[in-house]
Amino acid sequence: MAKLPTVVVLNGPNLNMLGKREPTIYGRDTLADVETACRAHAKTLGLALDFRQSNHEGELVGWIQEARGKAAGLVINAAALTHTSVALLDALQAAEVPTIEVHLSNIYRREPFRHHSYISRAAVGVICGLGPRGYLMALDALAGMVKAKGKR
Ligand code: DQA
C-alpha cells in the first residue's frame, strides 16, 4: 500500500497544560483531546499524523529540521515562542514545508505583545481564535494542498 502523506503538528511551551491552563482563554480540552480530534480528522483526509509538544525551543527547531524533505505539511502552534523566536522562523524557512500557524485564542484580541508573530512570515496561512477547530481547519487546508500538488 502507498504511504500516506504525513502532516507534522507541533505544539510549543505550556500547551501540555491545556485543559488546566487559563480555561477561560484556552478552553477545557486537553492536548490529548486535541490530538485525538486531529488523528480522527487526519484519517478521514487520508493523512498520516505526527503530533508532538515541547517546552523547549531547540527541540522544536530539531523537529522542524526533521520535517524537511519528509513531511507533506506542518501545523504549528508555537505558543509563546511565536512572539519571540527568530530561531523558529529560520527553521521553518529552511524546512520548505507548507506550514499553517495555529493559535487557539485570538491573539489580536489580547495583549499587544501577542499581536506580532515572528513565524507568520514562513506560514502559508494563519488560523487563530477558533479553539481546537483551528487545528482541524489547518489539516483540511494542507490536505487540499497535497491533493492539488498531486494533480500537477
Ligand atoms: C497561543 C497564544 C500565545 O500567545 C500563547 O503564548 C500560548 C498559546 C494560543 O494557542 O492561543 O501559549 O499560541
Side-chain angles (χ1 to χ4, degrees):
M1 227 171 68
K3 207 169 155 262
L4 294 177
T6 299
V7 170
V8 178
V9 181
L10 297 182
N11 294 280
N14 300 303
L15 289 170
N16 56 314
M17 299 294 289
L18 271 190
K20 295 189 202 112
R21 172 192 184 203
E22 299 182 274
T24 53
I25 297 174
Y26 298 115
R28 293 266 172 213
D29 285 349
T30 64
L31 194 62
D33 294 332
V34 177
E35 178 173 356
T36 301
C38 284
R39 280 204 187 286
H41 199 59
K43 205 169 173 191
T44 67
L45 295 169
L47 298 171
L49 196 81
D50 185 349
F51 192 100
R52 304 182 189 194
Q53 187 274 334
S54 178
N55 291 326
H56 304 281
E57 186 175 21
E59 189 161 38
L60 291 160
V61 167
W63 289 341
I64 294 166
Q65 290 179 357
E66 238 180 71
R68 190 187 152 88
K70 284 193 205 144
L74 249 168
V75 177
I76 184 164
N77 182 351
L81 294 171
T82 306
H83 318 299
T84 63
S85 180
V86 177
L88 284 185
L89 170 64
D90 287 350
L92 289 168
Q93 281 178 331
E96 295 178 18
V97 176
T99 297
I100 306 206
E101 176 183 348
V102 170
H103 301 283
L104 295 155
S105 64
N106 181 351
I107 54 175
Y108 300 103
R109 283 183 83 170
R110 300 185 62 194
E111 306 94 319
F113 67 84
R114 295 186 203 274
H115 297 179
H116 177 257
S117 164
Y118 279 97
I119 66 169
S120 292
R121 291 181 76 97
V124 282
V126 181
I127 300 168
C128 77
L130 302 178
R133 187 173 298 140
Y135 284 70
L136 308 184
M137 294 170 78
L139 292 176
D140 282 336
L142 288 171
M145 286 177 217
V146 168
K147 216 171 159 189
K149 207 175 161 197
K151 283 193 186 138
R152 272 198 271 129

